[in-house]
Amino acid sequence: MNARSIKDLVRSDRVHRTVYTDPVLFELEMDRIFGRAWLVLGHESQVRSPGDFFTTRMGRESVIVIRHTDETVRVLVNRCVHRGARVCEAATGSARELVCSYHGWTYATDGSLCGVPRADGYDRPVAETVGGGLARVPRVDVYRGFLFASLSADGPSLLDFLGPLRASFDDFVERAPDGEVEVAGGVLKHAYQGNWKLVLENHNDAVHPAFVHASSIWAAREQSAPGTGAYSEIGVRQMLQNGAPWEVWENTGLWGAAYGHSWMGDYHDDSRLVPALDHPVFVEYRATLERRLGRDGAARVLAELRWNSIVYPSSSFMSQFRQLRIVHPIAVDRTVVHAYSFRLKGAPEQMFRDTIAFANVVNGTGSPVLTDDLEVYERTQRGLGEPRAEWVYLGRRHGGDVPHRDGTLRGGTGTSEIHIRNQFAAWLEYMTAEP
Ligand code: FES
Ligand SMILES: [Fe+2]
């Protein structure tokens, strides 16, 4: 598919439906978007000590993220250089060496081949023939403890790539009284029969909650009032707030930045913060934060209220609610999402419990909220698979975007579809740039 025909698929206020359904385009996306961009892999706390590792995907590539004995984090392609078997099937663990289960070839934590059983069967040293060991992902970098890698040897630096989105990561970390966060509480995984872009579009979509989440809003309204210590208070608060008045959504900020990133302001009012501002746990938390940052510093951090930040094309996270979701495209119509919760180090333990309760409401597979989102992704994918209607319309508040600082654009209102138009602008750049 040439650049001209790809360009024909994206217009300023609409895209052709095949960008969600064409398997050929999907393969190109894996090469040109997931093969080039900085992808979020996780957090340093998942590989604290030498030998600690986890496995994940970068587009089509299975990779091992492992801390080497020199303390650096390495990202290795999970494919044995002998006959191609996956070397590591475990999701997480700790190992001195990685041993392929097929014929026992062994790799050090930097991926170098350090052992070949029955090596006398080869004329030359095997390591020379096979190029030294597991292939290494060319670029690995860290921002505020978050691990990124790129399958491309060149491209923008991580700092340039993140641009103004850095503030969302800063906010995430600065909220910790000890100035550090860590992954905790396991991972929630969900899958849907739909294109990977649908989830990133939805996470900044302020129009859908009133419709998609109507049943959980009604159910929440029948519960006892938040603040009475009722069961799953945090869940009730979240579901109630999805039914916020229309003006709240319109007045929520929504920003788009270079490389397809975007973020949304918060639509929760103070009484629904997690925990509420006057709650003893919050009072204690604020006091510990003030010990590190001072009164003004803590107030500044707590005033930064953001809902989802999208790191295009691979992740969506919530600094204020301590959630990170990593999006794994599996096929043009199949996506898997891994959701992690974080502990703010130094914060009262009750806040972490709230984080997990919140995660169960927004990311848990039994969530009354997430399940509705997954259902609409699948309905959308089915609808897009029917050829009669060619175009997907993204025109809400089109033309109303306003230039903001740092080269970002702010949506005319919070219900703008600016974030989707912005994602497709980046999509087009990646997809038509020369290899
Ligand atoms: S395929 Fe890995 S040792 Fe043979
Ligand atoms: Fe939703």
Side-chain angles (χ1 to χ4, degrees):
M1 188 168 281
N2 61 35
R4 179 71 249 147
S5 49
I6 292 174
K7 276 200 184 104
D8 291 340
L9 302 173
V10 178
R11 298 186 187 162
S12 67
D13 67 346
R14 66 197 65 200
V15 294
H16 195 264
R17 66 170 190 89
T18 49
V19 302
Y20 299 94
T21 59
D22 183 345
V24 174
L25 277 174
F26 177 81
E27 294 302 322
L28 272 182
E29 289 177 337
M30 294 305 102
D31 289 339
R32 297 185 180 179
I33 304 180
F34 284 80
R36 287 172 174 163
W38 284 101
L39 304 178
V40 180
L41 301 185
H43 188 263
E44 281 192 316
S45 58
Q46 293 170 275
V47 285
R48 222 178 269 291
S49 311
D52 289 358
F53 69 84
F54 63 91
T55 51
T56 185
R57 291 169 68 101
M58 295 180 67
R60 283 174 301 216
E61 208 81 73
S62 165
V63 296
I64 306 165
V65 182
I66 187 163
R67 194 174 290 273
H68 184 44
T69 46
D70 68 0
E71 297 286 340
T72 58
V73 176
R74 306 298 176 98
V75 182
L76 310 169
V77 175
N78 193 1
R79 186 189 307 113
C80 183
V81 294
H82 178 215
R83 297 223 315 255
R86 279 272 162 82
V87 173
C88 188
E89 283 294 341
T92 63
S94 192
R96 264 175 308 169
E97 292 168 334
L98 301 166
V99 184
C100 180
S101 56
Y102 201 174
H103 312 94
W105 288 29
T106 302
Y107 303 91
T109 48
D110 63 352
S112 56
L113 184 64
C114 61
V116 175
R118 307 287 173 194
D120 56 350
Y122 297 95
D123 299 340
R124 299 172 46 196
V126 177
E128 277 173 27
T129 321
V130 297
L134 300 178
R136 282 160 213 181
V137 171
R139 291 192 298 160
V140 180
D141 208 344
V142 179
Y143 186 72
R144 302 296 306 255
F146 292 85
L147 293 166
F148 293 78
S150 167
L151 290 165
S152 167
D154 21 67
S157 70
L158 178 60
L159 290 181
D160 285 347
F161 172 78
L162 292 176
L165 199 69
R166 280 182 266 165
S168 294
F169 285 103
D170 295 341
D171 178 47
F172 203 146
V173 177
E174 288 301 323
R175 285 176 169 268
D178 291 354
E180 222 182 290
V181 299
E182 63 178 359
V183 171
V187 51
L188 293 166
K189 300 180 180 178
H190 57 266
Y192 61 89
Q193 290 298 132
N195 189 263
W196 61 273
K197 295 185 279 300
L198 296 172
V199 60
L200 296 178
E201 294 168 3
N202 184 60
H203 281 183
N204 280 170
D205 182 320
V207 180
H208 86 282
F211 303 96
V212 170
H213 303 306
S215 63
S216 58
I217 296 167
W218 297 330
R221 285 179 182 158
E222 284 170 13
Q223 306 301 308
S224 32
T228 57
Y231 169 74
S232 186
E233 184 175 310
I234 215 166
V236 174
R237 283 169 190 267
Q238 176 55 34
M239 290 188 278
L240 271 179
Q241 196 61 11
N242 277 337
W246 181 246
E247 311 78 67
V248 170
W249 299 107
E250 286 287 62
N251 291 320
T252 297
L254 177 58
W255 292 266
Y259 300 107
H261 310 321
S262 61
W263 66 95
M264 197 175 149
D266 189 33
Y267 62 94
H268 296 68
D269 64 36
D270 284 353
S271 68
R272 291 178 169 110
L273 282 178
V274 187
L277 286 178
D278 57 351
H279 193 284
V281 172
F282 188 83
V283 173
E284 183 192 339
Y285 162 61
R286 187 168 46 205
T288 51
L289 197 61
E290 284 174 356
R291 277 202 281 282
R292 180 170 69 86
L293 297 173
R295 223 187 158 78
D296 290 351
R300 186 175 33 76
V301 166
L302 294 174
E304 187 67 65
L305 299 176
R306 292 188 179 196
W307 184 241
N308 287 317
S309 294
I310 309 293
V311 197
Y312 190 78
S314 71
S315 177
S316 150
F317 68 98
M318 299 165 150
S319 49
Q320 195 192 158
F321 297 88
R322 289 86 72 181
Q323 304 291 307
L324 174 77
R325 285 166 289 203
I326 300 183
V327 178
H328 296 293
I330 306 297
V332 70
D333 57 356
R334 177 90 178 153
T335 304
V336 168
V337 180
H338 291 182
Y340 299 88
S341 291
F342 285 74
R343 176 184 275 120
L344 299 178
K345 291 180 94 175
E349 188 59 16
Q350 180 61 37
M351 283 187 69
F352 181 62
R353 288 170 173 271
D354 286 345
T355 300
I356 295 297
F358 180 83
N360 279 312
V361 173
V362 298
N363 292 322
T365 39
S367 153
V369 179
L370 172 76
T371 40
D372 289 334
D373 289 313
L374 299 181
E375 177 65 24
V376 287
Y377 302 159
E378 299 198 350
R379 289 185 190 187
T380 304
Q381 191 73 25
R382 285 200 293 275
L384 292 169
E386 288 151 15
R388 209 169 304 276
E390 294 283 307
W391 294 92
V392 175
Y393 186 46
L394 308 171
R396 190 169 174 81
R397 301 281 178 204
H398 180 235
D401 310 334
V402 260
H404 196 65
R405 58 175 186 272
D406 302 331
T408 57
L409 278 181
R410 183 176 172 151
T413 73
T415 66
S416 168
E417 283 166 337
I418 179 184
H419 61 293
I420 311 179
R421 295 189 290 269
N422 189 53
Q423 287 173 19
F424 275 105
W427 186 91
L428 198 56
E429 258 179 54
Y430 280 117
M431 292 291 277
T432 56
E434 282 305 313

